Amino acid sequence: MPEDGKVAKFGGACVSKPEMYDRMAALLKSDPGRKFVVVSAVAGVTDSLVQTIARPREEKEIDQYLADVRKRHVALLPAPPEDGGRATEAMDALLRKLERLLYGIAYTEEITPRIRDFVLSFGERLSAQVVAANLRSRGVEAEAFEADQIGLMTDETYGNATALLGDTRDHMAPILRRQAGAGHVAVITGFFGLSPEGKTATFGRGGSDYSAAVVAHALDLRTVEVWKDVGGFMSADPKIVPEAFPLSVLSYDEAAELSYFGAKVLHPRAVQPARACGASLFLKNIYRPGDAGTRIGPDTVDRSGDVKSISYVRDLATLKVYATGLGSDEVLLSHSSTALADAGVNIFSAATSQTCVAFLVESDAVNRAKKALTRMGGLTPEKVEASPHASLVCFVGEGIGHAHGVAARVFRAVADRGISVQFITAGASMVAYQFTVNTKDLEDALRAVHREFFGDGGKRHRSASATVPSASAPLP
Ligand code: ASP
Ligand code: MG
């Protein structure tokens, strides 16, 4: 039997203004099932931590930075301070720790992936204190928790960790159940957990969505609400495709593919723990709590249509590795992908032929990737060619693998605009296809594909079941 209760995750924009705490408190009071709150850092704070450790800093700079961070958070605390300044005290203790860390980095001029993750986690630690204090001052019994101290367990992949779901359930669930039993709302830090060696490990940028799903899994809950200051998924990025419309349902796979390939509304891995416990993810707009938003759940697979949404990733590069007569394509593929993984290069797509393997990688990583491929252990390729300015278009839909001629329609629509397609990946997933175009053609290609499937009027051409027309919800 699933337990009752919901996880409500609040993103950066929803924890950064006193008016937002009013909204949050109202949501928690209106539905007592919302017992577990997961928070992101205050907007801009994680970015500022990333920038602060990007290069060695003088002590003066560190002091100034910490004073700014303190001011920013103190300004968000309720006035007069509740509980004799309990949150201020907790925040000052956190800032002293952060100060020691930043000084350490400045003196040693060294930063390991572990230390980096520890530093980046302070945004959420501070925001959990601010949010809990604000909820208390609005009559909600709330308590702040740091995920790594209550047993949200992860592997050791610092910067891109994965939660250990079984261990987390064992460690974290009893603590959170006790809180809920005492009638307290637990305000839990998103974004990180505790690695087996006892260090903080983050889930990658935007990782608080994933944390929320991990908490739901640990407690066997069926509802994860992801509250943002925009709505959920749309048929395309409305900044590029003005007739794009919101989507009320998506399957786990559709949401995962869209998120992985550029839609910034959800962390790409948030779907995994939700799927593992059959929870639905509801993406909701905090300004319009009555709107349905987008639901992603175990019962949302709809194979009757074709393309449901189109996403994109800008600024990629294609790398082609040629190696005629050097054995099979499998050897070339395995050596090349190992070399790229060892160099920390994220591969978006790969395609092979007998003599050549092509990879799609982030353009920032192209030099590193090229170097890694030129000097692979045991294999010297004849040539490694990099072409920049590639952008990827991804179209998804559970029905794509079942309907006929969907890909042909996509490519014809793009070709009719005089755009050439460079790289196509299909078949890896039955619900998503990707292709690349020159970045200068990206926006035109997105509009062409959207028009092909949804017409000039966007949602007006959709079947009635497709959408709730009101939310305004830009994809990035
Ligand atoms: N604060 C982290 C970030 O900015 C995690 C999150 O917001 O989900 O990436
Ligand atoms: Mg986010």
Side-chain angles (χ1 to χ4, degrees):
M1 266 294 281
E3 298 191 32
D4 69 329
K6 296 177 182 171
V7 178
K9 182 257 169 174
F10 293 91
C14 300
V15 299
S16 305
K17 273 190 260 169
E19 176 232 349
M20 290 298 193
Y21 309 132
D22 294 338
R23 291 178 188 278
M24 208 187 278
L27 286 170
L28 299 181
K29 285 180 187 171
S30 72
D31 182 348
R34 294 178 173 127
K35 294 176 198 164
F36 308 99
V37 168
V38 172
V39 291
S40 285
V42 167
V45 172
T46 312
D47 282 337
S48 76
L49 289 163
V50 170
Q51 281 156 19
T52 300
I53 57 177
R55 62 174 178 78
R57 303 280 169 179
E58 307 269 322
E59 248 171 64
K60 267 204 320 264
E61 273 180 287
I62 294 173
D63 294 344
Q64 183 58 53
Y65 172 68
L66 290 167
D68 290 347
V69 172
R70 184 174 193 280
K71 200 165 140 207
R72 177 100 202 263
H73 288 86
V74 168
L76 293 173
L77 286 175
E82 46 82 58
D83 277 3
R86 183 174 144 199
T88 320
E89 238 172 68
M91 275 175 24
D92 282 333
L94 287 169
L95 289 166
R96 278 193 298 276
K97 254 192 233 171
L98 181 58
E99 177 184 55
R100 284 204 291 273
L101 273 167
L102 295 178
Y103 277 3
I105 295 167
Y107 289 136
T108 58
E109 296 192 14
E110 226 164 59
I111 181 152
T112 63
R114 261 179 293 226
I115 303 273
R116 183 185 152 84
D117 272 12
F118 193 30
V119 169
L120 298 192
S121 72
F122 277 77
E124 272 71 14
R125 294 184 206 273
L126 291 165
S127 96
Q129 293 297 337
V130 171
V131 168
N134 275 287
L135 290 176
R136 288 194 291 268
S137 80
R138 287 162 177 78
V140 177
E141 273 300 321
E143 200 68 54
F145 291 94
E146 294 175 22
D148 51 359
Q149 298 191 12
I150 56 166
L152 198 165
M153 307 306 293
T154 73
D155 65 9
E156 284 174 7
T157 315
Y158 297 97
N160 192 26
T162 299
L164 306 175
L165 295 178
D167 290 354
T168 299
R169 187 173 268 173
D170 294 346
H171 288 93
M172 192 168 68
I175 300 173
L176 292 180
R177 282 200 188 102
R178 223 173 300 134
Q179 283 303 310
H184 296 165
V185 168
V187 178
I188 307 155
T189 54
F191 188 37
F192 62 87
L194 190 71
S195 75
E197 51 177 357
K199 303 289 179 199
T200 303
T202 69
F203 300 129
R205 296 306 304 273
S208 301
D209 298 340
Y210 178 64
S211 302
V214 171
V215 170
H217 180 277
L219 293 161
D220 205 19
L221 305 178
R222 292 293 173 270
T223 301
V224 181
E225 295 173 339
V226 178
W227 292 91
K228 333 170 126 279
D229 65 341
V230 293
F233 281 95
M234 297 192 68
S235 59
D237 180 352
K239 284 194 226 99
I240 296 175
V241 183
E243 60 274 23
F245 53 88
L247 299 170
S248 56
V249 284
L250 280 177
S251 72
Y252 287 134
D253 284 335
E254 288 167 341
E257 296 286 348
L258 286 171
S259 306
Y260 186 70
F261 292 109
K264 295 262 163 58
V265 278
L266 188 69
H267 186 272
R269 286 186 291 126
V271 161
Q272 286 166 14
R275 192 200 304 256
C277 68
S280 290
L281 295 157
F282 294 82
L283 273 57
K284 306 267 291 176
N285 183 340
I286 196 163
Y287 289 114
R288 312 171 72 113
D291 284 2
T294 306
R295 183 167 77 88
I296 300 146
D299 55 349
T300 52
V301 174
D302 173 7
R303 303 213 163 101
S304 67
D306 36 54
V307 172
K308 283 218 189 89
S309 181
I310 311 154
S311 63
Y312 63 92
V313 185
R314 250 186 234 275
D315 296 326
L316 298 173
T318 315
L319 276 166
K320 287 191 178 164
V321 188
Y322 295 92
T324 351
L326 268 179
S328 65
D329 51 342
E330 292 91 1
V331 174
L332 186 57
L333 179 63
S334 72
H335 275 69
S336 314
S337 45
T338 307
L340 290 177
D342 289 349
V345 176
N346 183 16
I347 303 168
F348 274 88
S349 247
T352 70
S353 75
Q354 192 62 25
T355 54
C356 170
V357 179
F359 295 99
L360 200 59
V361 302
E362 267 156 22
S363 54
D364 288 355
V366 76
N367 290 332
R368 204 157 23 103
K370 198 169 173 188
K371 226 193 252 162
L373 292 171
T374 318
R375 287 192 260 103
M376 288 187 277
L379 193 78
T380 314
E382 278 172 23
K383 193 167 59 166
V384 180
E385 244 175 40
S387 7
H389 311 305
S391 285
L392 175 144
V393 177
C394 171
F395 53 101
V396 314
E398 288 280 352
I400 291 178
H402 302 265
H404 288 288
V406 178
R409 275 175 73 191
V410 170
F411 296 126
R412 199 177 323 111
V414 173
D416 284 350
R417 307 283 310 166
I419 298 168
S420 54
V421 167
Q422 299 162 344
F423 196 112
I424 301 173
T425 344
S429 148
M430 288 293 279
V431 311
Y433 285 53
Q434 299 90 36
F435 63 91
T436 66
V437 296
N438 190 302
T439 297
K440 72 173 173 30
D441 297 324
L442 171 68
E443 301 199 356
D444 219 8
L446 289 167
R447 284 189 285 263
V449 178
H450 198 275
R451 243 155 243 170
E452 170 66 25
F453 289 90
F454 307 119
D456 283 333
K459 64 192 170 220
R460 276 188 287 113
H461 293 252
R462 288 286 286 171
S463 64
S465 68
T467 178
V468 183
S470 50
S472 64
L475 287 165

